[in-house]
Each structure stands twice: as structure tokens, then as C-alpha cells.
Amino acid sequence: MRHVYFRVIIGLVWLAAAFVSALSGGFGLAGFQVILCGIFWFSAYTAWKKEKDGKGEN
């Protein structure tokens, strides 16, 4: 479960970086960082879902 938490935290870091980048005018880079944030959050969600489904089978 730790890897899910780390992915969520890294996603939050990318989102904060996108916010700072957008404030300074780098909208292209901010968009890229938002995409990276989404990738990390999607990865965390799929890992969480797989772990949740795996526990019910035993």
C-alpha cells in the first residue's frame, strides 16, 4: 500500500510544480506537468484497485 501513497504524493508534487509553472507563465510546461500528475494518479488508482480486489479473493 505504500507504493500507492508515494504515487499520490508524487502526483501532488507534479501538480504543485504545474501551478508554480503556470504562475510564472510557462503554460506549455504546466500542461505537461498536469499530464504527469494524471499519469501518477492513474497509476496509483490502478494499483489500489488491484490490491483491493486481490484481498477479497483469499
Side-chain angles (χ1 to χ4, degrees):
M1 191 69 175
R2 276 185 293 179
H3 56 282
V4 173
Y5 294 136
F6 285 129
R7 290 176 188 176
V8 170
I9 291 170
I10 291 172
L12 286 173
V13 169
W14 278 115
L15 189 61
F19 181 73
V20 170
S21 186
L23 284 179
S24 64
F27 296 109
L29 186 59
F32 178 67
Q33 290 170 338
V34 167
I35 291 171
L36 285 175
C37 170
I39 290 171
F40 271 97
W41 282 352
F42 181 73
S43 155
Y45 174 74
T46 56
W48 171 77
K49 190 79 166 167
K50 184 186 291 187
E51 188 170 312
K52 181 180 144 190
D53 291 342
K55 285 185 178 178
E57 294 177 3
N58 291 334

